[in-house]
Amino acid sequence: MKKTKKKVLFISYEYTFGTFSGNGVLAASTVRGFLNDSDFDDDAMTTTEILVVCARPTELEEELRMEKEEEEVKEVNTDDDHHIPRVLSVPVPKSKWGRLDKTCAYEEFATNVSEKQLVAIVKFRADVVLGVDWSSLEVYERIRKRYQEEEDGFSPPPPLTYLNYRVFTLHDESHRALEQRMITASTHVICLCINDAKFLRDAFVGGDDGK
């Protein structure tokens, strides 16, 4: 029986470029887990292909401008090997690197996604989007808008699943609106532990709505 392919768009501010926290380590581990899953079951009927969109710190604003204008679509795999993720890196100011709170370059992460990258993302035709923490939402919104601008208007944007690696509001109330928007935009929310899930449910959902 022919295997089916599941396409996943994985958005994470931190991934493999200048990793500085557990988020980057966990993001890379999550992707590896998806890609290696079928290795343990030769009879599995589904394989997973992943396209990663992540931020990449750059030193100078001039370099950032040039990279945005000439950003190449970097794809790690060239032989259609589904065990190797394709990675699109988005330049962000290095001056804001090394933090994950609201002072990070999450806005630049979204605005600096190039047109070539948006075209590649839409062409990938993901079945689902996995967004790590609230900082991935603005990128998803740009992708969703790009889908809506497609001439055929035939393919709806893939649904967003919120991968909650860290609950920022738990320690800083100024992140409440950011995390609320992420939960509202998501069809599903996945947390690392029951306590985080309970906090998000009580703080933002107010009950069990199926997320």
Side-chain angles (χ1 to χ4, degrees):
M1 185 178 295
K2 186 178 180 179
K3 290 189 176 184
T4 59
K5 181 179 290 187
K6 187 81 170 181
K7 291 190 172 185
V8 176
L9 178 62
F10 189 88
I11 305 174
S12 179
Y13 180 77
E14 184 186 1
Y15 185 60
T16 57
F17 297 91
T19 301
F20 59 86
S21 79
N23 268 39
V25 175
L26 183 55
S29 178
T30 301
V31 170
R32 285 197 303 270
F34 275 109
L35 296 177
N36 293 334
D37 186 57
S38 60
D39 287 346
F40 298 97
D41 186 0
D42 293 335
D43 297 325
M45 289 297 100
T46 303
T47 60
T48 304
E49 182 178 354
I50 295 188
L51 175 61
V52 178
V53 179
C54 64
R56 171 171 47 84
T58 57
E59 187 69 45
L60 302 173
E61 292 300 322
E62 179 65 17
E63 178 186 359
L64 179 63
R65 182 188 66 77
M66 292 176 62
E67 288 191 19
K68 183 179 178 183
E69 291 176 353
E70 303 175 3
E71 181 63 40
E72 70 279 21
V73 177
K74 294 184 178 179
E75 298 185 2
V76 174
N77 64 322
T78 57
D79 56 358
D80 198 31
D81 183 352
H82 70 271
H83 294 292
I84 304 175
R86 300 163 60 189
V87 180
L88 303 182
S89 62
V90 180
V92 299
K94 191 174 182 180
S95 59
K96 291 187 176 182
W97 196 248
R99 65 196 78 164
L100 293 171
D101 61 13
K102 65 181 183 180
T103 64
C104 74
Y106 72 95
E107 292 177 322
E108 292 90 339
F109 182 30
T111 58
N112 290 342
V113 176
S114 70
E115 179 61 24
K116 287 184 179 179
Q117 290 175 329
L118 285 173
V119 169
I121 290 168
V122 173
K123 184 178 179 181
F124 180 67
R125 297 297 182 193
D127 297 299
V128 65
V129 177
L130 302 182
V132 174
D133 288 342
W134 60 268
S135 55
S136 63
L137 180 59
E138 297 296 334
V139 176
Y140 174 75
E141 291 293 350
R142 279 205 67 195
I143 294 168
R144 186 175 63 84
K145 182 178 179 182
R146 189 66 175 77
Y147 264 85
Q148 294 171 342
E149 293 172 350
E150 286 290 284
E151 290 184 0
D152 56 23
F154 192 71
S155 300
L160 174 66
T161 290
Y162 175 14
L163 296 186
N164 178 258
Y165 285 178
R166 185 179 303 187
V167 182
F168 290 80
T169 305
L170 189 61
H171 304 289
D172 187 347
E173 276 289 325
S174 66
H175 290 82
R176 179 173 290 273
L178 296 168
E179 291 187 318
Q180 177 69 74
R181 287 185 61 231
M182 185 66 176
I183 287 179
T184 300
S186 304
T187 57
H188 296 87
V189 180
I190 299 176
C191 299
L192 297 184
C193 66
I194 293 176
N195 286 340
D196 286 352
K198 186 178 185 302
F199 178 86
L200 291 178
R201 182 194 64 195
D202 294 344
F204 300 110
V205 181
D208 186 2
D209 71 344
K211 288 190 177 183

